[in-house]
């Protein structure tokens, strides 16, 4: 089956070779997407789930570190405010 009959072209109409290439390329992509090759989609979903879990773990660790640094900074600030020559923190 040639590209003119497959894509509804006119018999006497000359098209640019780039258009023929694009139509053939897209046709192959659509056929491959419709085929039984579903492992690629499953693999992509697995990567999205793994990435989401990693992002969640990083977020929790960042929150814990932020809380620890904030508490430490508050302690240092309170120590500086109440400092005198006779006592230490």
């Amino acid at each position: 089956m040639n590209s003119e009959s497959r894509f509804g072209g006119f018999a006497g109409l000359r098209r640019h070779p780039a258009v023929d290439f694009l139509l053939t390329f897209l046709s192959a992509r659509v056929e491959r997407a419709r085929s039984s090759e579903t492992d690629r989609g499953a693999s992509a979903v697995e990567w999205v789930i793994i990435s989401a879990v990693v992002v969640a773990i990083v977020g929790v660790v960042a929150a814990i570190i932020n809380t620890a640094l904030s508490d430490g900074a508050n302690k240092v600030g309170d120590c500086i405010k109440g400092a005198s020559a006779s006592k230490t923190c």
Side-chain angles (χ1 to χ4, degrees), residues 38-77:
T38 58
D39 291 343
R40 290 177 54 179
S43 177
V45 171
E46 290 169 358
W47 276 108
V48 167
I49 292 171
I50 291 169
S51 299
V53 169
V54 169
V55 167
I57 291 171
V58 168
V60 168
V61 170
I64 292 170
I65 291 173
N66 185 27
T67 301
L69 289 176
S70 178
D71 291 344
N74 287 337
K75 287 179 184 177
V76 169

Side-chain angles (χ1 to χ4, degrees), residues 6 8 19 32 34 36 41 63 65 68 88:
R6 190 169 19 167
V19 173
R32 191 170 24 165
R34 290 182 180 169
S36 62
I65 291 173
T88 62

Side-chain angles (χ1 to χ4, degrees), residues 19-32:
V19 173
D20 286 336
F21 172 77
L22 181 63
L23 291 175
T24 304
F25 176 76
L26 291 176
S27 169
R29 296 286 299 204
V30 168
E31 288 176 21
R32 191 170 24 165

